[in-house]
């Protein structure tokens, strides 16, 4: 009997040691949390605190909404709840938000923990940080979408009859504005003789106030920094309008409710003839290098469209001149 008890005791110790090693491995590599049956956090491990940047005291007693990024729709979470309340395991890639406002991706698995009666007692969540792989995946997807977007716009510009160019430009402004999540996209010209700039085309997201009617024949003197930058072929990049010094430029942008903007010059044979830009109205936004490349490519395509349109107008004008000459000759002959 003592031998049997000792054997069982050692066997139990071995099992506990084995389970402890597994637990240590999971804690070292995963974000682990327990919640009660209502979703209230009851335990988190060090990795969870490290990645989320919240302390254990800040997390215990809260729900996982504290790290919600609002990236996923309500339907996404409804499926999650329906699954685990049905006592099934749920798994998905989830975008969360850390305490400092940065985002991170985790591969999430939620296990319903049942009591002896088969009822849900709690939920165990195990997460793997997949931010690097996910961001690379998203970047690759965006590059493919960008290539398709540019190709579609280029195809429209090439195939559109000259009388449909206006519609093609307006549609492209909408497509490219939505792609970079801008609230407003637009094209301005620079009338060097009159020393003014005017808004020629504009797309605005639903709920955003259009500005095209308010931005006609704006004097160069009201936008000296724009002129200086664009005439050198340089972009105008303002991540936060609120950080600009109080003055004419800041007032001009704030009256349009602009929080951030990016404007790329339209260069024709080394001369700036206008610019294309994005406005962020709802939130501040730092436009990425990819956003700048998109606008630069789009600006080059627009200039080519302008050149094509000008050539067609020149041909039509020449034809009209020839027609008038022929009419005059006929009159003289008669």
């Amino acid at each position: 009997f003592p031998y049997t008890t000792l054997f069982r005791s050692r066997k139990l110790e071995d099992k506990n040691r084995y389970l402890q090693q597994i637990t240590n491995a999971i804690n070292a590599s995963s974000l682990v949390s327990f919640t009660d049956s209502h979703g209230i956090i009851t335990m988190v491990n060090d990795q969870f605190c490290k990645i989320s940047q919240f302390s254990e005291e800040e997390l215990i007693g809260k729900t996982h909404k504290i790290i919600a990024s609002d990236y996923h729709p309500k339907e996404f979470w409804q499926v999650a709840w329906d699954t685990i309340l049905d006592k099934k395991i749920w798994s998905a890639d989830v975008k969360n938000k850390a305490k400092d406002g940065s985002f991170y991706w985790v591969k999430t698995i939620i296990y319903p923990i049942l009591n002896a009666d088969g009822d849900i007692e709690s939920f165990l969540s195990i997460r793997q940080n997949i931010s690097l792989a996910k961001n690379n995946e998203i970047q690759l997807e965006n590059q493919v979408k960008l290539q398709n977007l540019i190709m579609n716009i280029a195809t429209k510009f090439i195939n559109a009859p000259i009388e449909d160019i206006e519609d093609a430009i307006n549609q492209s402004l909408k497509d490219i504005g939505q792609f970079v999540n801008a609230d407003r996209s637009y094209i301005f010209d620079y009338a060097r003789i009159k020393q003014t700039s005017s808004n020629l085309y504009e797309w605005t997201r639903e709920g955003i106030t259009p500005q095209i009617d308010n931005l006609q024949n704006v004097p160069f003197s009201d936008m000296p920094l724009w002129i200086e930058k664009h005439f050198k072929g340089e972009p105008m990049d303002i991540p936060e309008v609120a950080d600009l010094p109080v003055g004419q430029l800041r007032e001009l942008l704030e009256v349009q409710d602009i929080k951030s903007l990016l404007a790329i010059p339209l260069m024709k044979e080394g001369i700036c003839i206008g610019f294309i830009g994005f406005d962020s109205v709802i939130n501040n936004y730092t436009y990425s290098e990819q956003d700048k490349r998109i606008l630069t490519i789009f600006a080059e395509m627009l200039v080519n469209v302008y050149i094509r349109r000008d050539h067609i107008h020149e041909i039509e004008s020449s034809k009209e001149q020839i027609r008038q000459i022929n009419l005059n000759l006929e009159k003289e002959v008669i």
Side-chain angles (χ1 to χ4, degrees), residues 318-329:
S318 297
K319 287 181 179 179
E320 178 62 23
Q321 290 176 10
I322 292 171
R323 192 181 72 83
Q324 290 296 332
I325 290 172
N326 288 334
L327 286 174
N328 291 334
L329 286 174

Side-chain angles (χ1 to χ4, degrees), residues 286-305:
T286 300
Y287 289 94
S288 67
E289 290 302 317
Q290 177 176 269
D291 297 334
K292 294 175 185 178
R293 286 197 300 272
I294 293 172
L295 266 191
T296 301
I297 294 171
F298 188 42
E300 293 171 355
M301 288 195 294
L302 279 174
V303 171
N304 289 332
V305 169

Side-chain angles (χ1 to χ4, degrees), residues 85-128:
L85 290 177
D86 196 29
K87 304 176 184 178
K88 297 177 182 177
I89 298 171
W90 178 81
S91 177
D93 293 348
V94 178
K95 185 178 183 179
N96 286 337
K97 184 167 71 172
K99 187 176 181 179
D100 68 353
S102 61
F103 296 102
Y104 62 96
W105 282 89
V106 286
K107 181 173 288 295
T108 301
I109 302 177
I110 302 179
Y111 300 86
I113 306 299
L114 309 181
N115 60 21
D117 297 325
D119 298 324
I120 295 175
E121 185 176 85
S122 60
F123 298 106
L124 166 63
S125 299
I126 299 178
R127 300 170 173 83
Q128 300 289 331

Side-chain angles (χ1 to χ4, degrees), residues 45-89:
N45 72 342
D46 292 340
Q47 281 292 323
F48 193 111
C49 296
K50 178 182 177 181
I51 301 300
S52 71
Q53 301 173 14
F54 286 98
S55 66
E56 184 177 358
E57 291 74 17
E58 291 174 311
L59 293 167
I60 301 298
K62 306 290 195 310
T63 69
H64 283 93
K65 288 183 179 180
I66 193 173
I67 54 171
S69 64
D70 296 328
Y71 173 82
H72 304 281
K74 291 181 179 179
E75 294 78 12
F76 177 87
W77 295 115
Q78 189 61 53
V79 170
W81 270 109
D82 290 345
T83 301
I84 60 178
L85 290 177
D86 196 29
K87 304 176 184 178
K88 297 177 182 177
I89 298 171

Side-chain angles (χ1 to χ4, degrees), residues 162 165-166 169 200-201 268-269 273 302-319:
I162 194 65
I165 285 295
E166 301 277 320
I169 291 175
L200 303 180
Y201 306 92
K268 180 182 178 182
E269 298 177 352
I273 61 173
L302 279 174
V303 171
N304 289 332
V305 169
Y306 288 169
I307 292 173
R308 175 191 169 204
R309 184 178 61 184
D310 291 345
H311 283 171
I312 292 176
H313 287 163
E314 288 174 5
I315 292 171
E316 291 176 347
S317 178
S318 297
K319 287 181 179 179

Side-chain angles (χ1 to χ4, degrees), residues 133-166:
K134 195 69 178 182
N135 289 336
N136 289 338
E137 176 187 328
I138 292 172
Q139 185 177 5
L140 182 60
E141 290 175 356
N142 285 339
Q143 287 176 350
V144 173
K145 290 178 182 177
L146 170 60
Q147 291 174 354
N148 292 335
L149 173 67
I150 295 300
M151 288 299 297
N152 288 337
I153 292 175
T155 302
K156 288 178 183 177
F157 284 167
I158 292 171
N159 295 331
I162 194 65
E163 61 270 19
D164 295 337
I165 285 295
E166 301 277 320

